[in-house]
Amino acid sequence: MKNHVFRPLFAVIGLVVIVLVIRVFYVPKDFGVHERGYMYGWYREGNVSEWKTSVKVKYQGKEYCSGCHADKVQTIDKTPHAIIQCENCHGPANDAIADHPSEQRPKLTIDRTRAQCLRCHLKLVYPTSGRANIRGIDPEKHNPDIECVMCHNPHKPGLEGLK
Amino acid sequence: MNRREFLKNTAKAVAGVTVPLAAIEILSPARVQALKADSSVRWAFLVDTYKCVGCGLCVKACKNENEIPYEANVTRTWVERYVLTKDGKLYADSPKGARDGFTSAKIDLGMGKFQDIRKEDIKKAFFVPKLCNQCENPPCVQVCPVGATYQAPDGVVLVDRTWCIGCGYCIMGCPYGVRFFHPKYHTAEKCNFCYHRINKGLKTACVQACPFGARQIGNIKDPNDPVAKIITTERVGILKSEFGTKPQVFYIGLDEEVR
């Protein structure tokens, strides 16, 4: 057999070897088959801890807020709005804000829009959902031009809390 | 050597050297068995559709927590509204994934069209929050050609952003349509039960933000877990059970209209 017949074969083998060598260096050591077997558990193990540690928590929860604003939390806790997390209206109290010294701390952006209140207080007569049990308004008839917080205090939502 | 032999040997040689080393590894059943360590945690989600009022605060919190651009029309979790009228018609919508809640009684039909439904005509109407089902047999993981989407030992399906090539097979493979491309990272994206939160002992952002307790998360392998107790002892439903993906998001008050 002549040498020129084998030359393409050598080229193919050479290419395959190069790809496999690159693969050895490119693919991380922790990439492979893990707990759930080849079909579901073929991945880079380091990514699990990356998701656990490198993503920051932004929403801290009501207990965190009450650490400094105990008076506000106590007031609202006596009202039907006690079920609402502070950050649902005040925005997430993420680390960027918490880590600042008090004099340079950026303010949270409070959502005072009508739309924020209408999320729950638009009257929808849906018999098989919780919305049917919430006191609601028709936004086209009930003072359509002003924000709800002009009259209603969200921390004291009852009529006695009217401004 | 004749031509037949030469072709045979060439085929064998090429096939032999191109089989990746990782593929040889799985040919050993003993090794695969040894790797199947049982995790003591299996995260599961419980949604009570009776409690949901469609306020969308969960969607807002999710988008902020997981840095999904607020204006982009993609979201990890969303809320659907179903309205069934007395003449048998079904209307369903989820404007912008309900990130601003349902602040209009009109049904959003898309393309700028809206449907007004008189309250006398409503037979039943309810809200259904949706999110990634973290299936026991996730089809998105099966179809990922590079091992970028995978199932962690605690059952949560995660996406490796450094490894995803953006082929979109997982988006096509998911029967629930919960996956999309992240507008910023350009990799496959989906709910991962706020993996960074639940591993620190916190609730997911949507569970924490929900004022009505319509969403709950728990460990189904812990017999004292309140969520596990409900899932294992009460009547709960899952979405599209006919696909056999075994979703781990369970619904109280699931209706046949919900797909």
Side-chain angles (χ1 to χ4, degrees):
Chain A
M1 186 75 66
K2 295 263 166 53
N3 192 29
H4 69 270
V5 179
F6 283 106
R7 256 182 238 157
L9 178 64
F10 292 145
V12 168
I13 292 172
L15 211 65
V16 167
V17 169
I18 289 167
V19 168
L20 287 177
V21 168
I22 292 171
R23 191 184 175 281
V24 167
F25 290 103
Y26 184 69
V27 177
K29 290 283 166 289
D30 58 347
F31 192 96
V33 180
H34 298 99
E35 283 83 351
R36 283 232 53 202
Y38 184 73
M39 195 182 283
Y40 301 117
W42 186 57
Y43 62 96
R44 187 170 62 92
E45 202 172 24
N47 187 242
V48 178
S49 49
E50 278 172 29
W51 274 113
K52 281 180 189 171
T53 55
S54 68
V55 184
K56 279 200 166 182
V57 172
K58 281 128 208 136
Y59 282 87
Q60 307 290 334
K62 206 172 187 173
E63 286 72 31
Y64 175 84
C65 305
S66 71
C68 298
H69 303 284
D71 53 328
K72 297 274 191 323
V73 174
Q74 278 165 13
T75 312
I76 204 167
D77 269 351
K78 292 179 190 128
T79 77
H81 275 183
I83 54 172
I84 301 172
Q85 291 285 330
C86 311
E87 289 159 298
N88 279 347
C89 300
H90 290 262
N94 47 27
D95 294 350
I97 288 172
D99 292 346
H100 276 78
S102 57
E103 64 273 13
Q104 302 168 5
R105 194 171 292 156
K107 288 251 178 200
L108 295 174
T109 45
I110 307 171
D111 191 346
R112 293 189 176 89
T113 58
R114 258 174 98 78
Q116 174 75 354
C117 306
L118 291 176
R119 284 171 179 268
C120 297
H121 293 289
L122 169 82
K123 188 77 189 159
L124 288 176
V125 278
Y126 292 172
T128 48
S129 91
R131 184 71 81 99
N133 308 323
I134 299 176
R135 295 165 95 182
I137 57 143
D138 180 346
E140 284 164 23
K141 292 181 183 149
H142 186 91
N143 300 318
D145 301 325
I146 54 170
E147 306 291 13
C148 310
V149 293
M150 298 283 279
C151 303
H152 300 275
N153 179 355
H155 287 191
K156 283 181 187 168
L159 291 175
E160 72 279 3
L162 277 176
K163 283 178 181 172
Chain B
M1 186 191 273
N2 57 26
R3 194 192 313 200
R4 183 180 294 259
E5 266 177 4
F6 170 70
L7 288 173
K8 261 189 193 171
N9 290 340
T10 309
K12 272 183 200 166
V14 171
V17 288
T18 47
V19 170
L21 299 173
I24 294 168
E25 226 173 46
I26 61 146
L27 293 178
S28 157
R31 180 161 157 71
V32 171
Q33 211 58 42
L35 284 164
K36 277 191 178 175
D38 211 12
S39 168
S40 60
V41 181
R42 205 317 171 191
W43 297 106
F45 210 90
L46 181 66
V47 178
D48 189 338
T49 60
Y50 293 114
K51 288 181 179 168
C52 182
V53 307
C55 68
L57 288 169
C58 51
V59 182
K60 184 184 181 184
C62 172
K63 287 198 119 179
N64 286 334
E65 179 71 26
N66 295 297
E67 291 170 348
I68 310 297
Y70 203 70
E71 291 308 316
N73 203 10
V74 287
T75 174
R76 282 184 171 198
T77 183
W78 68 97
V79 182
E80 292 173 358
R81 162 167 62 183
Y82 289 80
V83 178
L84 196 70
T85 56
K86 282 174 184 158
D87 56 0
K89 280 192 185 133
L90 175 71
Y91 298 92
D93 70 341
S94 181
K96 293 252 178 199
R99 59 156 208 216
D100 301 321
F102 289 90
T103 53
S104 167
K106 293 184 172 77
I107 304 288
D108 189 347
L109 300 174
M111 310 295 280
K113 287 184 184 156
F114 295 88
Q115 175 77 39
D116 224 345
I117 299 171
R118 293 187 308 151
K119 66 178 179 184
E120 304 84 64
D121 296 338
I122 295 172
K123 188 174 159 195
K124 56 180 170 181
F126 49 88
F127 301 98
V128 180
K130 287 193 176 169
L131 66 164
C132 174
N133 284 292
Q134 317 292 353
C135 305
E136 192 60 29
N137 304 319
C140 57
V141 174
Q142 270 182 297
V143 298
C144 179
V146 295
T149 190
Y150 61 93
Q151 194 169 38
D154 51 16
V156 177
V157 177
L158 296 169
V159 181
D160 187 343
R161 281 183 183 158
T162 57
W163 218 236
C164 175
I165 57 171
C167 69
Y169 278 16
C170 56
I171 296 172
M172 303 300 282
C174 175
Y176 304 97
V178 301
R179 306 187 65 128
F180 55 94
F181 280 123
H182 195 292
K184 193 171 142 203
Y185 299 111
H186 307 297
T187 53
E189 178 73 16
K190 66 175 202 64
C191 161
N192 59 13
F193 278 178
C194 280
Y195 207 61
H196 61 294
R197 292 176 66 95
I198 55 177
N199 279 292
K200 293 185 183 87
L202 300 166
K203 301 282 180 200
T204 69
C206 61
V207 168
Q208 192 175 54
C210 179
F212 304 96
R215 293 166 174 257
Q216 291 181 76
I217 188 163
N219 174 16
I220 208 165
K221 286 195 177 165
D222 177 4
N224 297 318
D225 189 298
V227 175
K229 274 183 190 165
I230 292 172
I231 291 172
T232 50
T233 60
E234 293 184 23
R235 287 186 292 171
V236 288
I238 52 167
L239 294 169
K240 298 185 184 178
S241 59
E242 64 273 23
F243 283 89
T245 60
K246 294 189 183 164
Q248 299 298 306
V249 175
F250 298 88
Y251 287 87
I252 297 173
L254 196 60
D255 201 275
E256 61 167 354
E257 278 85 18
V258 181
R259 301 297 304 144

